[in-house]
């Protein structure tokens, strides 16, 4: 009885951790996965294992074997560690999983599974007292809905390729990105032979592969991978699946828009940005604070409108950025991001020929700068070259219209960011 209580404790923590992870409470999820792992370590103290016969009785098929539960726990814990940017801890867990998958360890595990499982195909039989936990366990373990041995093989592959691929991707170096792409492709090939082509796991792999290809600046291949991902995601949603939500859809749409933006296909990029923006607004509708994702997308919409020559639309989008960002930073008017967006607004106003408005915007940006920043901006405004003598004399005499024209024209070149570059 004691050994099953320990297993039940581990199952409960895995289920709680999975629910918390889905709710984006990654830190709390990690704590529950660690508790599950500790409970499974405690299992060895409860069960006396004969070294000559490591197989122990497993007379209740409502529980999977400890080895399988430990594998599930480590896979989930490793993924959560990656979300928390604890890459070394995630790598250690992947190494432990790989070590358990070595031939001499795998044969021992297989003998234990054979003793633990009935000869028929294994399934979790629910009882009235265990229905809820058994159902949740099946959801967690539904990586590959066959027998435990084949599920284990799938999870080993996930750890070897998907999790390791995420670790390489996070390193960011070109060689690491190539290694990540290699791992994602290996698992994608396996998944397409084992799962339906519109399975959620296929969708996740296509998204990660698209991200790596984008980092390698293989934009066309990246876009095709993202579009395939979007197709699977929309198929899942159209069938009433709750595996993906609006946040997932917004993220993929934004990624496609980023690729189109960098490919300079501005019309299509705008369409995708607006679709992503609509989803992002729906996700954040109940939030007390503005969404950073909404602000980022609006920044890029403003840039694309600017590049497309629609200056009024660019100014409108930038104004909304300023309004939302002001709320996001708690009304801190001297925040560098707000000053930067004011400079961008001034640049657009210069291009639109609204020089007086541009001057007022630049003056407002200078007013919000610190003393050093203000002095630099004023020096830039007063130091313009290439003016004829009459203009110089007018400026020296305090002719504000001439000073405004010169200042706006000069400051229009102070923005260090490429106007076509996406924000993030």
């Amino acid at each position: 009885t004691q050994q099953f209580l320990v297993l039940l404790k581990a199952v409960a923590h895995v289920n709680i951790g999975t629910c918390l992870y889905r709710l984006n409470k990654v830190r709390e999820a990690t704590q529950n996965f660690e508790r599950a792992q500790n409970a499974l370590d405690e299992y060895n103290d409860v069960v006396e294992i004969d070294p000559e016969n490591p197989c122990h009785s497993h007379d209740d098929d409502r529980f999977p074997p400890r080895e399988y539960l430990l594998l599930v726990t480590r896979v989930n814990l490793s993924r959560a560690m990656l979300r928390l940017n604890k890459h070394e801890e995630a790598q250690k867990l992947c190494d432990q999983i790989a070590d358990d998958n070595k031939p001499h360890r795998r044969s021992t595990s297989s003998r234990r599974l054979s003793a633990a499982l009935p000869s028929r195909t294994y399934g979790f039989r629910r009882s009235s007292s265990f229905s809820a936990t058994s159902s949740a366990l099946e959801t967690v373990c539904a990586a590959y809905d066959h027998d435990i041995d084949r599920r284990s093989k799938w999870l080993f592959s996930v750890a070897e390729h998907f999790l390791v691929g995420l670790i390489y991707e996070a390193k960011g170096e070109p060689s690491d990105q190539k290694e990540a792409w290699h791992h994602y492709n290996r698992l994608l090939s396996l998944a397409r032979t084992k799962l339906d082509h519109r399975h959620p796991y296929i969708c996740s792999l296509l998204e990660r592969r698209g991200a790596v290809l984008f980092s390698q600046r293989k934009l066309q291949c990246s876009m095709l991978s993202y579009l395939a991902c979007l197709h699977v995601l929309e198929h899942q949603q159209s069938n009433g699946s709750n595996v993906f939500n609006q946040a997932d859809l917004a993220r993929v749409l934004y990624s496609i828009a980023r690729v189109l933006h960098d490919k300079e296909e501005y019309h299509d990029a705008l369409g995708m940005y607006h679709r992503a923006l609509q989803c992002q607004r729906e996700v954040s509708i109940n939030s007390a604070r503005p969404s950073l994702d909404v602000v980022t997308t609006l920044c890029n919409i403003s840039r694309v409108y600017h590049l497309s020559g629609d200056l009024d639309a660019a100014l409108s989008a930038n104004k909304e950025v300023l309004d939302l960002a002001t709320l996001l930073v708690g009304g801190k008017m001297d925040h560098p991001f707000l000053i930067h967006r004011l400079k961008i607004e001034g640049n657009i106003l210069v291009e639109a020929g609204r020089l007086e408005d541009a001057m007022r915007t630049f003056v407002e940006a200078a007013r919000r700068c610190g003393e050093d920043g203000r002095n630099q901006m004023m020096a830039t405004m007063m130091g313009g070259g290439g003016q004829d003598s009459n203009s110089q004399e007018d400026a020296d005499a305090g002719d504000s219209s001439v000073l405004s024209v010169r200042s706006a024209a000069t400051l229009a070149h102070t923005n260090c960011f490429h106007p076509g570059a996406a924000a993030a």
Side-chain angles (χ1 to χ4, degrees):
T1 302
Q2 184 65 24
Q3 69 188 58
F4 292 124
L5 288 176
V6 172
L7 287 179
L8 180 59
K9 181 180 178 181
V11 170
H13 282 306
V14 169
N15 292 336
I16 294 170
T18 303
C19 293
L20 289 169
Y21 188 91
R22 289 288 296 166
L23 293 171
N24 210 30
K25 297 180 179 180
V26 182
R27 197 170 301 279
E28 295 90 332
T30 302
Q31 293 170 354
N32 277 277
F33 292 139
E34 288 175 338
R35 290 169 188 151
Q37 185 171 240
N38 293 336
L40 292 170
D41 291 338
E42 179 186 341
Y43 184 83
N44 284 337
D45 299 331
V46 174
V47 179
E48 293 293 336
I49 299 179
D50 183 359
E52 299 298 325
N53 182 21
C55 308
H56 54 269
S57 176
H58 197 86
D59 56 2
D60 193 330
D61 66 356
R62 296 173 299 181
F63 292 93
R66 172 192 176 275
E67 291 77 14
Y68 179 73
L69 279 176
L70 185 59
L71 172 60
V72 172
T73 302
R74 284 175 174 170
V75 168
N76 281 297
L77 182 56
S78 177
R79 183 68 184 96
M81 288 294 186
L82 286 170
R83 286 284 302 275
L84 296 175
N85 293 320
K86 296 182 178 181
H87 301 132
E88 291 183 3
E89 289 86 344
Q91 182 66 65
K92 289 178 182 177
L93 288 164
C94 289
D95 291 342
Q96 290 176 345
I97 294 171
D99 186 60
D100 285 343
N101 195 35
K102 289 179 180 179
H104 69 282
R105 298 293 297 275
R106 191 165 59 240
S107 60
T108 301
S109 178
S110 298
R111 290 197 301 271
R112 292 184 183 180
L113 289 176
S114 299
L117 301 176
S119 58
R120 59 179 174 80
T121 300
Y122 185 86
F124 300 136
R125 187 185 70 239
R126 303 180 189 176
S127 68
S128 58
S129 63
F130 200 72
S131 177
T133 303
S134 181
S135 176
L137 179 62
E138 288 183 5
T139 302
V140 174
C141 299
Y144 186 35
D145 194 17
H146 288 283
D147 58 275
I148 289 292
D149 184 55
R150 298 195 68 180
R151 293 185 192 184
S152 297
K153 290 179 181 177
W154 168 253
L155 289 175
F156 281 127
S157 297
V158 168
E160 180 183 0
H161 297 301
F162 183 68
L163 296 179
V164 172
L166 290 174
I167 293 170
Y168 276 113
E169 184 181 350
K171 294 179 180 178
E173 296 297 327
S175 59
D176 295 321
Q177 297 295 316
K178 185 176 181 179
E179 198 68 30
W181 174 83
H182 170 74
H183 280 287
Y184 294 148
N185 269 350
R186 286 282 301 275
L187 187 58
L188 191 59
S189 298
L190 176 64
R192 281 174 168 159
T193 63
K194 302 295 184 181
L195 307 171
D196 184 88
H197 279 234
R198 292 176 292 190
H199 194 280
Y201 293 151
I202 301 288
C203 182
S204 298
L205 287 166
L206 287 168
E207 182 183 2
R208 296 315 326 145
R209 188 178 70 172
V212 169
L213 289 168
F214 181 81
S215 298
Q216 295 175 315
R217 308 308 297 165
K218 298 178 180 179
L219 300 181
Q220 184 64 23
C221 294
S222 175
M223 186 178 66
L224 291 174
S225 191
Y226 277 132
L227 288 173
C229 170
L230 178 63
H231 176 72
V232 176
L233 195 154
E234 290 178 331
H235 170 77
Q236 289 288 329
Q237 290 189 330
S238 66
N239 288 344
S241 171
N242 62 354
V243 174
F244 300 109
N245 53 32
Q246 286 297 93
D248 298 316
L249 179 60
R251 186 180 63 252
V252 174
L253 289 169
Y254 178 83
S255 298
I256 296 171
R258 278 287 315 277
V259 178
L260 291 167
H261 187 160
D262 283 18
K263 283 168 62 66
E264 299 184 2
E265 298 178 16
Y266 298 131
H267 178 75
D268 293 334
L270 274 175
M272 285 296 180
Y273 274 138
H274 279 292
R275 285 186 63 187
L277 183 63
Q278 181 181 354
C279 294
Q280 290 166 349
R281 291 189 195 278
E282 292 175 7
V283 171
S284 63
I285 192 169
N286 296 321
S287 176
R289 300 177 70 239
S291 167
L292 181 59
D293 291 336
V294 170
V295 173
T296 302
T297 303
L298 282 168
C299 286
N300 287 344
I301 287 175
S302 178
R303 289 171 188 245
V304 174
Y305 275 130
H306 185 188
L307 290 167
S308 302
D310 192 343
L311 301 184
D312 289 337
L315 287 168
S316 177
N318 192 67
K319 182 180 185 304
E320 189 172 359
V321 169
L322 283 166
D323 293 340
L324 292 175
T326 300
L327 295 173
L328 195 61
V329 300
K332 188 179 179 182
M333 305 304 289
D334 59 347
H335 193 281
F337 178 77
L338 297 178
I339 296 171
H340 172 63
R341 296 312 302 185
L342 283 172
K343 291 179 183 179
I344 290 176
E345 181 178 317
N347 294 339
I348 299 173
L349 288 168
V350 169
E351 290 188 32
R354 296 164 55 180
L355 300 181
E356 293 291 343
D357 291 337
M359 185 59 196
R360 281 193 290 271
T361 301
F362 288 132
V363 168
E364 174 63 18
R367 186 183 65 80
R368 298 186 186 189
C369 286
E371 190 66 30
D372 292 341
R374 185 180 302 113
N375 292 338
Q376 182 180 0
M377 286 191 69
M378 293 305 296
T380 304
M381 291 162 65
M382 297 302 295
Q387 302 291 335
D388 59 46
S389 59
N390 290 336
S391 296
Q392 181 63 52
E393 291 172 2
D394 290 339
D396 292 340
D399 188 327
S400 61
S401 62
V402 174
L403 181 59
S404 299
V405 171
R406 181 191 304 170
S407 301
T410 303
L411 282 173
H413 300 287
T414 63
N415 185 14
C416 62
F417 294 93
H418 189 281

